[in-house]
Amino acid sequence: MKHTGNGRLQGKVAIIVGAGQLPGGTVGNGRAVAERFAQEGAALLLVDIQPELAEATHEAVAAYGQRASVLRADITREDDCRAIAAACIERYGRIDILHNNVGRSKGDRRTTEMDAGMWDEIMAMNLKGMFMTCKHVLPQMVSQGAGSIINVSSTASMAARPTVTYKTSKGAVNAFTQHLAMENAAHGVRANAILPGLIDTPMAIERRAQERGVSREVVRAEREALVPMRRMGTGWDVANAAVFLASDEARYLTGVLLPVDGGLLCKRG
């Protein structure tokens, strides 16, 4: 669901890492966050390893009249993470929001079947990449005396999962986010994490449908049956949570691990 902005992020500058839109029948989390941030008045640096996907998001946010630009970056390379922060300061003069919408589970396996090299690849994106992007925006946020970091984790970090690396990496993202919150609270910089549950995005649905050779409707029905609300969330649900955490409405919130999951984590125990 789209909303008409009322300027909750007016005058703020946001970096969205993973802003590209994958092909599919629904909106991805990165694209939805970009649109909602633009609706609420933020200028945007749209970062993705596939710039053509970020360009599609750039075209979508142009309708809201906010400044926006695209930057290609591979967050598993520290030079690229350094360049993200530098480009935002060069283009917009400040960094108010860092939204880390990154992660992969492709290639994950059970512990005894997991290839050590694939473990390193997944950890490099899901955890090390978040560390390095945060590392390089923090000096600017600290110098401003304000900033909001939002790391996208997963309910998998707190729930049973048949594979090892994604869960472990997202659990570490939770711990890292809480560390950032404590480390930087006195400097006016907040850090929170969003834990999406089963969300209807191209990465979640189309990829699984293709890998299994079934329709997206089959995958959707299986996932919806697991959720107490009996439906999956959408990218807009994740984006609305991100708007709140990025805004001054959440100025007294830091270190929060916020599930956006239709009650999925209530099933623990």
Side-chain angles (χ1 to χ4, degrees):
M1 181 184 298
K2 299 185 181 182
H3 295 260
T4 301
N6 57 8
R8 295 156 73 192
L9 303 180
Q10 195 67 43
K12 296 185 183 294
V13 174
I15 299 171
I16 301 175
V17 182
Q21 169 71 36
L22 292 172
T26 54
V27 68
N29 291 334
R31 165 75 166 270
V33 168
E35 289 202 41
R36 288 292 291 117
F37 279 12
Q39 288 171 346
E40 297 292 351
L44 306 176
L45 180 63
L46 305 170
V47 180
D48 206 283
I49 194 170
Q50 296 179 268
E52 67 277 9
L53 301 182
E55 286 290 354
T57 298
H58 184 239
E59 292 175 10
V61 302
Y64 305 114
Q66 307 302 328
R67 293 178 296 162
S69 60
V70 169
L71 179 71
R72 184 205 175 275
D74 177 354
I75 63 163
T76 66
R77 299 172 54 87
E78 185 164 15
D79 285 347
D80 283 21
C81 294
R82 185 181 293 109
I84 292 170
C88 192
I89 295 166
E90 179 183 355
R91 297 179 191 184
Y92 303 110
R94 59 187 295 114
I95 306 170
D96 298 295
I97 303 157
L98 170 64
H99 184 82
N100 266 322
N101 175 61
V102 291
R104 60 171 283 191
S105 61
K106 188 176 182 179
D108 205 359
R109 298 287 186 272
R110 295 175 61 86
T111 303
T112 57
E113 301 164 357
M114 187 64 199
D115 178 77
M118 181 59 69
W119 168 283
D120 289 341
E121 285 186 27
I122 295 173
M123 284 291 185
M125 175 178 287
N126 292 6
L127 180 59
K128 187 178 179 182
M130 283 201 184
F131 151 66
M132 292 190 297
T133 53
C134 292
K135 172 185 175 180
H136 290 290
V137 304
L138 275 168
Q140 177 66 27
M141 288 184 171
V142 168
S143 71
Q144 295 168 182
S148 174
I149 294 172
I150 304 167
N151 292 326
V152 177
S153 178
S154 170
T155 52
S157 64
M158 295 184 176
R161 190 175 178 89
T163 49
V164 62
T165 320
Y166 185 80
K167 175 181 175 62
T168 304
S169 66
K170 291 301 189 178
V173 166
N174 295 351
F176 173 58
T177 302
Q178 291 178 323
H179 173 81
L180 288 177
M182 291 297 295
E183 182 183 65
N184 295 284
H187 302 295
V189 179
R190 299 182 295 108
N192 297 289
I194 295 175
L195 280 58
L198 299 175
I199 308 296
D200 193 347
T201 66
M203 180 175 287
I205 305 302
E206 269 78 3
R207 177 175 71 81
R208 286 177 171 84
Q210 183 177 19
E211 289 175 352
R212 292 173 52 192
V214 300
S215 70
R216 73 184 310 276
E217 287 70 28
V218 168
V219 178
R220 291 183 79 252
E222 291 173 349
R223 289 163 70 87
E224 286 175 345
L226 299 172
V227 184
M229 285 187 173
R230 290 294 183 262
R231 61 179 176 83
M232 285 189 292
T234 71
W236 303 114
D237 296 312
V238 174
N240 288 333
V243 168
F244 170 65
L245 290 175
S247 75
D248 292 340
E249 294 168 14
R251 64 185 181 180
Y252 204 54
L253 274 68
T254 196
V256 169
L257 308 178
L258 177 63
V260 180
D261 68 350
L264 192 65
L265 284 180
C266 295
K267 295 169 67 175
R268 286 184 294 167

